[in-house]
């Protein structure tokens, strides 16, 4: 009996609270207000003018209360939160090993191995796809840096011979990279190409700055280098790849890398010459896809090879400033004979405004 009375009281109190909220909202709606510096806000399926004028401070307080307690607003916020995390995996806090005591490229600062502590965080299951990125562009009219610059770098082997003839700008130390006019995320190999049949492939020709803009739009961020590497390892320790030490275990390809004679002949034994769909190969034990191969992935950190400047033992985020940003994971162009960087411990760098046909990213979020 007492429990029934308590329940009835709680329901009455709840009804009174919502009745007061609706009354307050009605007061604000009917009041005369100055429309300068206004910002639209939703409350109980109505639209109000949010005031920043000091004279209307009290009205703003009422509106904020209305908005914060609005059932529809709370519901929408909950739905957005669920959608926010639906393509993400949570990695619980703990002590993890990163780096290696057996570096392949010593000059890259791959070692030594170190123990770090990370707070819990979320990371995208997949690289950001063309489909994902197109939603961002549709909503914001964002122009990538490649679009604004008017060109980007494309791998020679993906271009038709006729398209290569008029290109004069190449990367001196890597002549297989050609600077192609009007190459961008929508036109990966130049203006005559498109992504119509590649919506489930990773978005490419995106700079670090572009990646940051996308993450900010979603209320997310780029993973730190440490977070990315921990995610890549999938709970395994001292292994080259997310699944172990064999690149092709039991004859099964687990990542999109180069097969054949780089850069002249790609035998495409893994099924792909360029990018592959973001869920094409089996995930690691954390449920994350394509942590190596497919495309290089931007991380938050500025580049350094000095272990002492990478942020210490707890939640390292790299140095406070720099010239280049860290990228991880290798790409479809990596081969052991040239770029054996499709390993969890491997790392490389580019300036934040660099764009190319093998550069992409995935997002993270603090738990």
């Amino acid at each position: 009996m007492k429990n029934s009375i308590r329940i009835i009281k709680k329901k009455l109190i709840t009804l009174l609270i919502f009745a007061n909220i609706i009354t307050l909202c009605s007061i604000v709606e009917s009041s005369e207000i100055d429309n300068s510096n206004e910002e639209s806000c939703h409350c109980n399926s109505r639209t109000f003018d949010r005031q920043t004028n000091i004279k209307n401070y009290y009205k703003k307080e009422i509106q904020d209360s209305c908005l914060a307690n609005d059932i529809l607003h709370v519901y929408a916020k909950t739905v957005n939160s669920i959608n926010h995390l639906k393509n993400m995996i949570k990695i619980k806090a703990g002590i993890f090993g990163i780096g290696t005591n057996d570096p392949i490229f010593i000059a890259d600062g791959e070692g030594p191995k170190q123990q770090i502590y990370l707070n819990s965080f979320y990371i995208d299951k997949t690289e950001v796809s063309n489909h994902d990125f197109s939603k961002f562009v549709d909503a914001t009219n964002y122009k990538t840096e490649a679009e604004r610059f008017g060109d980007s770098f494309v791998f020679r082997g993906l271009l038709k011979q006729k398209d290569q003839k008029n290109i004069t700008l190449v990367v001196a130390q890597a002549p297989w990279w050609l600077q192609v006019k009007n190459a961008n995320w929508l036109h990966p190999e130049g203006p005559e190409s498109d992504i119509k049949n590649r919506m489930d492939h990773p978005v490419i020709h995106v700079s670090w700055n572009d990646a940051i803009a996308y993450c900010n739009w979603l209320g997310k961020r780029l993973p730190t280098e440490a977070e990315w590497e921990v995610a890549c390892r999938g709970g395994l320790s001292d292994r080259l790849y997310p699944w172990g030490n064999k690149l092709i275990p039991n004859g099964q390809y687990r990542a999109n890398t180069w097969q054949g004679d780089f850069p002249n002949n790609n035998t495409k034994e893994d099924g792909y010459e360029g990018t592959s769909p973001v869920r094409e190969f089996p995930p690691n034990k954390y449920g994350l896809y394509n942590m190596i191969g497919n495309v290089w992935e931007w991380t938050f950190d500025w580049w350094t090879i000095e272990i002492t400047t990478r942020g210490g033992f707890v939640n390292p985020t790299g140095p406070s400033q720099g010239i280049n940003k860290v990228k991880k994971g290798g790409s479809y162009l990596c081969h052991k004979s040239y770029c054996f960087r499709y390993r969890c411990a491997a790392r490389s760098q580019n300036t934040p405004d660099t764009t190319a046909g093998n550069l992409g990213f995935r997002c993270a979020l603090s738990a």
Side-chain angles (χ1 to χ4, degrees):
M1 184 68 180
K2 288 182 178 179
N3 287 336
S4 297
I5 292 171
R6 286 196 193 97
I7 291 170
I8 291 169
K9 282 183 177 179
K10 285 182 178 179
K11 288 183 177 179
L12 287 171
I13 290 168
T14 302
L15 286 171
L16 286 170
I17 290 170
F18 281 119
N20 287 332
I21 291 168
I22 291 169
T23 301
L24 287 170
C25 290
S26 298
I27 291 170
V28 174
E29 186 181 18
S30 62
S31 300
E32 290 184 6
I33 52 179
D34 177 10
N35 288 323
S36 62
N37 298 319
E38 65 185 24
E39 179 186 342
S40 179
C41 91
H42 167 269
C43 185
N44 286 323
S45 300
R46 301 170 182 173
T47 298
F48 299 96
D49 295 319
R50 169 165 290 192
Q51 303 303 306
T52 56
N53 192 305
I54 191 67
K55 294 178 181 178
N56 294 301
Y57 182 79
Y58 179 64
K59 293 174 186 176
K60 179 180 180 298
E61 288 283 295
I62 295 174
Q63 289 171 228
D64 286 343
S65 174
C66 167
L67 182 62
N69 291 283
D70 175 25
I71 299 172
L72 294 179
H73 174 73
V74 172
Y75 173 75
K77 193 173 181 181
T78 302
V79 170
N80 287 338
S81 178
I82 292 170
N83 289 335
H84 214 47
L85 302 177
K86 69 178 182 180
N87 189 46
M88 303 190 88
I89 293 291
K90 184 179 182 180
I91 297 178
K92 294 181 179 179
I95 295 175
F96 305 93
I98 61 171
T100 177
N101 289 329
D102 189 21
I104 304 298
F105 298 107
I106 297 173
D108 284 353
E110 295 179 357
K113 181 180 177 181
Q114 56 179 320
Q115 296 293 108
I116 61 164
Y117 173 84
L118 291 178
N119 289 337
S120 298
F121 66 97
Y122 293 92
I123 189 165
D124 286 351
K125 293 179 184 178
T126 67
E127 295 149 336
V128 174
S129 69
N130 285 315
H131 176 73
D132 299 327
F133 200 76
S134 66
K135 289 183 178 180
F136 163 58
V137 171
D138 288 344
T140 64
N141 293 317
Y142 182 82
K143 293 292 183 184
T144 61
E145 293 202 284
E147 290 173 285
R148 283 178 271 145
F149 293 155
D151 57 49
S152 189
F153 290 95
V154 179
F155 176 65
R156 182 185 65 201
L158 297 177
L159 293 171
K160 297 175 182 177
Q161 287 295 324
K162 67 179 183 69
D163 294 330
Q164 296 182 33
K165 290 180 180 178
N166 297 324
I167 297 173
T168 56
L169 294 174
V170 301
V171 178
Q173 295 179 332
W176 46 86
W177 280 113
L178 308 182
Q179 194 169 359
V180 178
K181 189 175 181 180
N182 295 323
N184 54 57
W185 77 278
L186 281 168
H187 305 286
E189 290 81 51
E192 293 185 11
S193 64
D194 61 53
I195 57 171
K196 183 172 61 175
N197 297 318
R198 287 182 268 183
M199 295 305 289
D200 59 347
H201 287 227
V203 64
I204 52 177
H205 297 293
V206 284
S207 67
W208 184 90
N209 297 317
D210 296 330
I212 288 291
Y214 176 89
C215 290
N216 286 343
W217 176 67
L218 284 178
K220 298 183 182 182
R221 59 177 173 79
L222 285 176
T224 65
E225 180 181 6
E227 288 174 336
W228 190 99
E229 187 169 333
V230 166
C232 179
R233 293 181 181 278
L236 300 179
S237 179
D238 293 323
R239 297 293 186 271
L240 292 174
Y241 312 116
W243 55 84
N245 285 327
K246 291 186 177 180
L247 179 61
I248 314 172
N250 301 316
Q252 299 295 313
Y253 283 94
R254 303 289 298 267
N256 179 13
T257 59
W258 183 283
Q259 297 87 50
D261 174 29
F262 184 84
N264 301 310
N265 178 38
N266 188 348
T267 58
K268 298 177 282 187
E269 293 166 33
D270 60 12
Y272 295 94
E273 184 175 20
T275 59
S276 62
V278 295
R279 291 177 181 262
E280 180 64 12
F281 297 92
N284 68 7
K285 289 187 176 181
Y286 283 157
L288 304 171
Y289 294 81
N290 288 302
M291 290 304 294
I292 67 165
N294 215 20
V295 292
W296 281 101
E297 297 183 18
W298 290 112
T299 71
F300 173 81
D301 300 33
W302 288 108
W303 171 267
T304 181
I305 60 172
E306 299 297 331
I307 208 75
T308 56
T309 60
R310 293 192 197 172
F313 170 72
V314 180
N315 298 315
T317 58
S320 60
Q321 58 186 353
I323 297 173
N324 294 321
K325 288 290 184 178
V326 178
K327 59 180 185 178
K328 298 279 283 185
S331 78
Y332 61 88
L333 294 175
C334 283
H335 187 269
K336 192 172 183 178
S337 66
Y338 173 73
C339 177
F340 187 27
R341 291 183 174 87
Y342 46 90
R343 296 169 288 112
C344 292
R347 53 205 304 269
S348 191
Q349 59 181 308
N350 277 119
T351 58
D353 61 354
T354 297
T355 65
N358 66 342
L359 268 174
F361 68 103
R362 73 180 71 212
C363 302
L365 188 64
S366 299

